[in-house]
Amino acid sequence: AMTYKRLMDYAATVKPEQLDDILEYVNTRGEAKALPLGVVLTHVFNHQTHHRGQVHAMLTATGAKPDDTDMPFMPQSD
C-alpha cells in the first residue's frame, strides 16, 4: 500500500517537465488508459481527500468523535 510518506517522497522526485509525460496504465475495469502524469498525481492526492471524508462520515455516523483528518494535523506514518 502506498503510504502518505511514500507518496510525498515520490512526489518530491518528480520534475516539472515530467508532469506532461504520458502515463499509460490499466484501470480497475481493465481498460487501457493514458493520461499526463500531472493529471494522475493530482487525482491521487485529491482522491485521498475523498476517502478521508468517507471515513470521517462513517465514524461520525456511529457517534464517534474522530481525530482531525486534515493532512497537516495527521500523524506521520513510515
Side-chain angles (χ1 to χ4, degrees):
M2 173 88 41
T3 65
Y4 174 73
K5 182 179 180 339
R6 285 181 56 204
L7 184 57
M8 293 300 292
D9 289 348
Y10 167 72
T13 70
V14 177
K15 296 177 177 38
E17 59 271 14
Q18 292 176 287
L19 296 175
D20 291 327
D21 291 352
I22 301 300
L23 179 68
E24 295 180 3
Y25 63 97
V26 176
N27 69 16
T28 57
R29 292 186 290 262
E31 303 163 333
K33 300 287 182 178
L35 289 170
L37 178 61
V39 172
V40 174
L41 290 177
T42 299
H43 166 72
V44 168
F45 278 92
N46 186 57
H47 199 68
Q48 292 180 83
T49 303
H50 163 71
H51 285 293
R52 283 194 312 276
Q54 284 181 317
V55 170
H56 190 276
M58 287 186 285
L59 290 170
T60 302
T62 68
K65 303 265 189 266
D67 291 337
D68 201 329
T69 59
D70 292 330
M71 296 299 284
F73 306 113
M74 292 179 65
Q76 297 296 312
S77 62
D78 294 323

